[in-house]
Amino acid sequence: CGLGFDSPAPFTDGHGSVSLADALLVPTRIYVRPLLAALKINDSAGSPAIRGLAHITGGGLSENIPRVVPDHLAVRLDAKSWDLPAVFGWLKAVGRLENEDLARTLNCGIGMVVLCAPAQADEVQKTLEKQGETVSRIGVIEPRPAGGPAITIDHMDTAWAAKG
């Protein structure tokens, strides 16, 4: 792509001069404090509302999330439910990545996935937002048919088409 690490990041909106290195080397977010607050939420029977957590790092969305879901369940995400950050659209275009490669390798803007009981989803969301987090409801857990995929990401082609 002909850029050096000191080049302006080509995917920023032009506000300020962020170098490519600074834009790509943003430190990993730490979610401990907000999650500790949300982990205190229980359902009416006293069971924890949060049933699983997946920090989306190496392995992207499609490899990290299934690690915290039992084999008889599957995850169905909707790529239209969050905005793909510009850096990922740029990486997709420059690297000539398919959507599946993007989802398998990168977090695509989702740093932490919280799997929670549907009845407590509003309370979990409000608690995380009070802690300063941006929350997007990105999918559901559903029964997994025998031999079916552990994760499906719907609408990648349309949601991420203009990003690459």
Side-chain angles (χ1 to χ4, degrees), residues 22-37:
D22 287 340
L24 293 177
L25 297 174
V26 173
T28 298
R29 297 254 341 246
I30 305 299
Y31 300 95
V32 174
R33 285 193 179 109
L35 289 172
L36 286 174

Side-chain angles (χ1 to χ4, degrees), residues 78 81-82 118 120-126 135-139:
D78 184 350
S81 62
W82 77 93
Q120 282 74 46
D122 288 340
E123 186 177 1
V124 169
Q125 180 172 349
K126 287 177 189 173
V135 177
S136 299
R137 294 191 188 190
I138 64 171

Side-chain angles (χ1 to χ4, degrees), residues 36-108:
L36 286 174
L39 284 165
K40 294 177 183 175
I41 301 168
N42 294 317
D43 66 15
S44 60
S47 297
I50 294 180
R51 309 292 170 82
L53 298 167
H55 192 197
I56 311 304
T57 57
L61 293 168
S62 60
E63 291 185 10
N64 283 294
I65 299 170
R67 293 180 185 147
V68 299
V69 178
D71 290 340
H72 68 283
L73 297 174
V75 178
R76 180 171 297 277
L77 303 181
D78 184 350
K80 294 188 304 186
S81 62
W82 77 93
D83 292 327
L84 184 72
V87 63
F88 296 107
W90 177 77
L91 287 168
K92 177 184 170 195
V94 170
R96 297 185 186 131
L97 298 173
E98 297 295 327
N99 289 327
E100 292 75 15
D101 296 327
L102 201 66
R104 186 179 60 248
T105 308
L106 302 168
N107 74 19
C108 301

